[in-house]
């Protein structure tokens, strides 16, 4: 088991098995979900949790956002925040967002977007890479998503402002996100 100090502490209450941090090999088309299941994410308190904690016992919709500074991720989270928590509870479904930034950015992102659901981070992008949410060329024109409301210029200005607030200018605009519906206990084949 690898030990990496990221200023976070493992959560003993949520660890069902050893959490390890393998080096993913995204070169092939196959995704090893048994390996991904044990990869860590971090919560709002900096506690490490294995990825399978989210879907082992219940159905979960897991949204991977590219970066909490990116205006498209912010506007998508603002739309997701409109989904009533009560409706998800009645349906027995968790809505989880995972970003690829340090865990210290969860609290400001949650506040800025009024996001009432669960937020975690994959600080090292191990899950992003293993699931092949790979970097892609930023070329190709305007995004066509009903969640993106800002113009490109307005969005870049918003992203720059957020980067100044975080004092972090490492935004990778080529990082892709994705969505999964998992559980209970079921893995994609």
């Amino acid at each position: 088991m690898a030990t990496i100090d990221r200023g976070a502490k493992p959560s003993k209450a949520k660890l069902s098995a050893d959490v390890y941090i393998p080096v993913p090999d995204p070169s092939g088309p196959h995704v090893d979900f048994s390996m991904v299941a044990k990869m860590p994410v971090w919560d709002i308190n900096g506690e490490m949790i294995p990825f399978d904690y989210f879907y082992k016992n219940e159905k979960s919709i897991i949204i991977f956002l590219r970066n909490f500074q990116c205006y498209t991720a912010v506007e998508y989270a603002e739309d997701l925040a409109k989904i009533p928590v009560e409706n998800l509870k009645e349906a027995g479904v968790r809505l989880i967002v995972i970003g690829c930034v340090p865990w210290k950015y969860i609290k400001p992102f949650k506040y800025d977007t009024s996001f009432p659901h669960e937020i975690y981070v994959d600080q090292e992008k191990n899950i992003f890479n293993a699931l092949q949410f790979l970097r892609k060329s930023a070329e190709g024109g305007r995004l066509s998503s009903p969640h993106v409301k800002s113009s490109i210029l307005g969005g870049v200005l918003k992203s720059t402002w957020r980067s100044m607030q975080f004092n972090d200018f490492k935004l990778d605009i080529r990082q892709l996100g994705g969505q999964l519906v998992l559980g209970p206990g079921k893995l994609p084949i």
Side-chain angles (χ1 to χ4, degrees):
M1 176 158 90
T3 307
I4 298 176
D5 181 12
R6 293 183 184 89
K9 53 195 176 285
S11 171
K12 302 234 184 280
K14 295 176 183 165
L15 293 178
S16 59
D18 285 343
V19 173
Y20 67 97
I21 305 170
V23 178
D25 179 13
S27 61
H30 176 72
V31 174
D32 183 354
F33 278 95
S34 62
M35 181 178 78
V36 173
K38 300 301 176 202
M39 289 181 174
V41 295
W42 285 262
D43 70 9
I44 197 165
N45 299 312
E47 294 185 3
M48 210 175 354
I49 301 162
F51 182 65
D52 68 352
Y53 170 75
F54 302 127
Y55 59 84
K56 228 187 315 189
N57 299 316
E58 57 193 315
K59 183 176 277 189
S60 296
I61 300 168
I62 304 171
I63 310 290
F64 291 86
L65 293 180
R66 40 191 276 164
N67 194 302
F68 290 173
Q69 294 159 265
C70 176
Y71 75 98
T72 60
V74 169
E75 292 178 2
Y76 188 22
E78 289 170 344
D79 278 358
L80 291 171
K82 296 173 186 173
I83 299 171
V85 175
E86 305 78 40
N87 291 8
L88 292 169
K89 282 184 182 176
E90 286 176 23
V93 176
R94 294 169 73 178
L95 178 59
I96 298 162
V97 162
I98 298 177
C100 53
V101 295
W103 66 269
K104 66 182 181 177
Y105 296 135
I106 296 173
K107 196 177 284 187
F109 184 78
K110 197 169 180 68
Y111 176 79
D112 291 347
T113 59
S114 301
F115 196 77
H117 310 287
E118 300 174 64
I119 301 181
Y120 301 88
V121 294
D122 175 13
Q123 299 184 129
E124 303 295 323
K125 297 185 189 176
N126 286 321
I127 297 172
F128 276 75
N129 290 335
L131 294 176
Q132 302 176 19
F133 299 142
L134 303 176
R135 292 172 41 146
K136 182 179 170 142
S137 170
E139 299 169 10
R142 176 97 167 91
L143 297 170
S144 60
S145 170
H147 304 289
V148 178
K149 295 149 194 77
S150 297
S151 67
I152 291 177
L153 176 61
V156 168
L157 292 173
K158 288 177 185 179
S159 295
T160 303
W161 177 250
R162 290 184 64 76
S163 294
M164 289 171 45
Q165 289 176 313
F166 287 152
N167 196 25
D168 184 350
F169 297 91
K170 298 177 192 146
L171 175 62
D172 182 357
I173 63 169
R174 295 172 296 177
Q175 177 65 53
L176 299 178
Q179 303 85 28
L180 296 174
V181 178
L182 298 172
K186 297 177 185 171
L187 288 175
I189 298 174

